[in-house]
């Protein structure tokens, strides 16, 4: 039954969404031609364009159903290799990350770092965790210079399992049924990538301090992403990105040598930017685009078992991350939009995810809506309760910015007191996006310190060392 509902939505919702948007424009034109309130026509146009996406995503989120774990699955935890690229093996989160992966009993963990010194630190950290390894093989290797993309490519040549998971060092897996849940979508032979659900650790719920507020905003940032992924994936199978914090791939897709070479030498804006060694960040966006381009289906697995916990919201690192993510939008989304096959297969996602990601400046849209409504009310004096509609519309704006983060507020009720900061952030983020737009060429990995890492390129660090 759930499958039928999803199929019907995929068939008509992208078209009905466009019809609603065009309908609002036609209705506004009729009001204008019939000499009605011009400002009301403007408001209706803006309202239709602004909230068609929201209403469509509400329907998509309601219709979403995760893939069910089968009693006799095609893949098990013994078919999984996990690649962990790291530049901070001595940091506090690395052991916790590896320990959480070990608890899931995968076949192999390959840790790839940069330089001989970091390789030694990785080996020491893994040796300390060896008693917890069980049947999992722990392997460490390194390349000469830090590059997440090249670290992944180096590790892929040593993967022999049919499933490969890429995991960041700051991602912590649940220890109960994570692997079965994220492998469930692969029962469909056309699925090549599975996106896990992300949740930021909430450190100080309800506390009125700068660090607590930033952490609150960060947790909501991921909660909104989960909501968007769930909605678009239910409607037409599209996603804006499969986050590299923990992403699950068929090795058949990821081990393609031509793909990996392009992955490590990507440039953008007609090949003008990206540096001598290729683009550093945006690695997960590249792989998402490549999967879609090569005809693989992508599934978002929204279950508690598939929920990965991450650390997020540390200031000023979060400030740098916001800029990097916003720049990624302006670098990556146009590449997807110029793919004609993507328009045919993912109509809703093309307009309501990728195009909306470029044009969605909340401060400009909401200002235009409020201004046009105020002018429309001024043009209709004497109408009983006219100004009540303005108050109701402001409540509508608040509601639309709250519905996506309800799960987080449910887990941490004390955070309701901080809701105003979340609404304010929605408008502050417009300035981040504007600055990212005019500095999109900046492809530094902001939020991560890479200077001085690595070693002499002549050093032999690429050989794999089996710790356990």
């Amino acid at each position: 039954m759930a499958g039928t509902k999803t199929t019907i939505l995929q068939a008509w919702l992208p078209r009905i969404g466009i019809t609603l948007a065009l309908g609002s424009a036609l209705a506004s034109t009729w009001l204008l031609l019939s000499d009605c309130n011009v400002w009301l026509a403007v408001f209706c146009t803006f309202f239709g364009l602004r909230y068609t996406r929201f209403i469509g995503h509400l329907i998509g989120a309601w219709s979403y159903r995760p893939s069910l774990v089968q009693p006799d699955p095609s893949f098990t935890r013994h078919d999984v290799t996990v690649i962990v690229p790291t530049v901070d093996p001595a940091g506090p989160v690395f052991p916790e990350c590896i320990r959480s992966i070990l608890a899931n009993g995968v076949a192999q963990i390959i840790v790839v770092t940069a330089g001989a010194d970091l390789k030694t630190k990785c080996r020491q950290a893994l040796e300390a965790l060896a008693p917890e390894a069980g049947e999992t093989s722990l392997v460490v290797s390194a390349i000469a210079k830090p590059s997440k993309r090249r670290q992944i490519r180096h590790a892929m040549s040593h993967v022999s399992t049919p499933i490969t998971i890429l995991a960041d060092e700051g991602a912590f897996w649940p220890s109960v049924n994570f692997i079965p849940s994220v492998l469930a979508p692969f029962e469909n032979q056309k699925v090549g990538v599975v996106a896990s659900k992300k949740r930021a650790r909430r450190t100080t719920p309800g506390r009125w301090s700068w660090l607590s507020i930033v952490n609150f905003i960060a947790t909501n940032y991921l909660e909104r992403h989960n909501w968007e992924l769930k909605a678009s994936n239910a409607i037409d199978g599209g996603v804006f990105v499969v986050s590299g914090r923990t992403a699950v791939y068929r090795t058949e897709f990821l081990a393609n040598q031509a793909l990996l070479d392009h992955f490590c030498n990507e440039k953008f804006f007609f090949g003008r930017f990206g540096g001598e060694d290729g683009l550093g960040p945006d690695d997960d966006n590249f792989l998402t685009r490549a999967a879609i381009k090569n005809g693989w289906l992508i599934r978002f697995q929204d279950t508690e078992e598939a929920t990965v916990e991450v650390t997020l919201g540390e200031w000023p690192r979060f400030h740098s991350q916001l800029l990097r993510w916003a720049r990624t939008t302006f670098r990556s989304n146009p590449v997807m939009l110029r793919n004609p096959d993507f328009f045919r297969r993912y109509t809703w996602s093309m307009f309501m995810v990728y195009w909306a990601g470029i044009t969605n400046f909340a401060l400009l849209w909401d200002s235009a809506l409020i201004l046009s409504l105020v002018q429309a009310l001024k043009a209709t004096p004497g109408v009983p309760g006219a100004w009540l509609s303005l108050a109701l519309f402001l409540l509508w704006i608040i509601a639309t910015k709250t519905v996506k983060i309800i799960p987080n507020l449910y887990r941490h009720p004390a955070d309701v007191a901080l809701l105003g900061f979340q609404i304010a952030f929605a408008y502050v983020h417009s300035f981040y996006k504007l600055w990212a737009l005019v500095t999109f060429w900046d492809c530094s990995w902001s939020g991560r310190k890479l200077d001085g890492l690595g070693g002499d390129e002549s050093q032999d660090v690429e050989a794999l060392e089996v710790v356990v």
Side-chain angles (χ1 to χ4, degrees):
M1 185 65 183
T4 303
K5 184 183 297 183
T6 302
T7 302
I8 293 173
L9 281 169
Q10 289 175 344
W12 65 260
L13 192 49
R15 295 172 179 79
I16 203 68
I18 296 171
T19 303
L20 286 171
L22 293 176
S24 67
L26 292 173
S28 301
T29 303
W30 177 83
L31 288 170
L32 179 60
L33 294 177
S34 62
D35 199 28
C36 289
N37 191 325
V38 175
W39 281 109
L40 182 60
V42 173
F43 172 78
C44 290
T45 301
F46 283 150
F47 187 91
L49 293 174
R50 173 73 164 154
Y51 290 112
T52 295
R53 173 174 175 262
F54 173 76
I55 295 171
H57 274 190
L58 271 180
I59 298 172
W62 169 78
S63 69
Y64 170 86
R65 298 293 184 274
S67 299
L68 300 178
V69 178
Q70 301 301 313
D72 185 21
S74 300
F75 303 108
T76 68
R77 60 187 78 245
H78 303 296
D79 297 309
V80 176
T81 294
V82 182
I83 297 174
V84 183
T86 180
V87 293
D88 189 19
V93 299
F94 180 76
E96 183 179 358
C97 168
I98 300 300
R99 187 173 285 113
S100 73
I101 299 173
L102 287 174
N104 282 274
V106 298
Q108 181 175 233
I109 301 175
I110 303 177
V111 178
V112 190
T113 188
D117 290 342
L118 290 181
K119 183 179 181 181
T120 300
K121 292 179 180 179
C122 278
R123 184 175 61 251
Q124 292 171 345
L126 294 180
E127 287 173 347
L129 296 170
E132 303 175 42
E135 298 181 0
T136 301
S137 173
L138 291 175
V139 178
V140 62
S141 187
I143 60 175
K145 299 294 182 181
S147 167
K148 183 178 180 181
R149 298 189 186 218
R150 284 174 167 76
Q151 286 167 250
I152 291 172
R153 180 178 66 176
H154 173 62
M156 281 306 303
S157 61
H158 303 283
V159 174
S160 58
T161 55
I163 301 295
T164 301
I165 300 181
L166 304 183
D168 283 354
E169 63 191 15
F172 315 115
W173 297 3
S175 59
V176 180
N177 295 327
F178 174 75
I179 293 297
S181 185
V182 296
L183 294 183
F186 288 111
E187 297 301 321
N188 182 341
Q189 296 298 317
K190 295 181 179 179
V191 172
V193 188
V194 174
S196 60
K197 184 178 179 180
K198 310 299 183 297
R199 179 177 296 160
R201 283 181 170 174
R202 184 70 180 107
T203 54
T204 50
R207 184 175 298 178
W208 287 64
S209 68
W210 175 245
L211 294 180
S212 177
I213 291 169
V214 172
N215 177 241
F216 169 67
I217 291 171
T219 57
N220 290 330
Y221 193 89
L222 285 191
E223 204 66 54
R224 289 169 58 87
H225 277 202
N226 290 331
W227 193 84
E228 300 278 352
L229 285 166
K230 180 167 66 172
S232 62
N233 202 231
I235 293 171
D236 63 2
V239 295
F240 68 91
V241 67
V242 177
S243 171
R245 291 183 179 272
T246 294
V248 191
Y249 298 90
R250 282 188 192 270
T251 304
E252 175 187 351
F253 158 66
L254 199 57
N256 183 284
Q257 193 57 48
L259 170 73
L260 291 173
D261 287 343
H262 188 194
F263 179 57
C264 293
N265 295 281
E266 181 188 9
K267 295 186 182 297
F268 62 98
F269 200 69
F270 309 105
R272 295 179 180 272
F273 301 107
E276 295 181 1
D277 297 327
L279 184 60
D282 310 353
D283 53 287
D284 44 10
N285 293 79
F286 176 94
L287 293 175
T288 302
R289 294 196 308 269
I292 292 175
K293 182 179 179 181
N294 286 283
W296 291 103
L297 298 181
I298 298 175
R299 289 292 176 261
F300 174 58
Q301 188 71 337
D302 184 4
T303 65
E304 283 301 308
E305 293 82 4
T307 300
V308 174
E309 192 176 46
V310 302
T311 55
L312 193 65
E314 301 172 0
W315 192 265
R317 186 183 180 189
F318 186 55
H319 161 77
S320 300
Q321 289 172 320
L322 288 172
L323 281 176
R324 171 161 56 88
W325 296 332
R327 288 181 182 126
T328 293
T329 297
F330 294 111
R331 287 194 294 256
S332 180
N333 286 23
V335 179
M336 187 69 82
L337 290 172
R338 63 177 207 237
N339 183 345
D341 187 52
F342 181 72
F343 173 79
R344 178 183 61 82
R345 292 170 56 201
Y346 302 100
T347 310
W348 177 269
S349 292
M350 180 174 182
F351 287 103
M352 303 302 178
V353 176
Y354 286 93
W355 179 248
I358 296 174
T359 61
N360 186 20
F361 290 80
L363 182 63
L364 298 180
W365 278 102
D366 289 1
S367 296
L369 280 162
I370 293 171
L371 175 63
S372 59
L373 180 57
V374 168
Q375 294 299 322
L377 295 175
K378 287 182 178 180
T380 55
V383 177
W387 290 99
L388 178 61
S389 60
L390 177 60
L392 292 175
F393 179 64
L394 294 177
L395 289 175
W396 165 263
I397 291 177
I398 294 173
T400 59
K401 297 186 186 309
T402 304
V403 66
K404 301 176 185 180
I405 64 172
I406 287 176
N408 184 49
L409 297 177
Y410 179 79
R411 288 191 300 272
H412 307 290
D415 279 340
V416 172
L418 304 179
L419 188 57
F421 294 104
Q422 173 62 34
I423 295 170
F425 171 75
Y427 299 114
V428 172
H429 192 246
S430 294
F431 293 102
Y432 274 93
K433 292 188 66 173
L434 181 60
W435 183 246
L437 175 60
V438 300
T439 60
F440 75 96
W441 46 265
D442 183 349
C443 55
S444 60
W445 201 300
S446 52
R448 178 176 294 188
K449 296 179 180 179
L450 300 176
D451 295 339
L453 297 179
D456 188 344
E457 293 187 7
S458 64
Q459 290 179 311
D460 181 16
V461 295
E462 294 189 359
L464 263 69
E465 295 185 24
V466 178
V467 178
V468 177

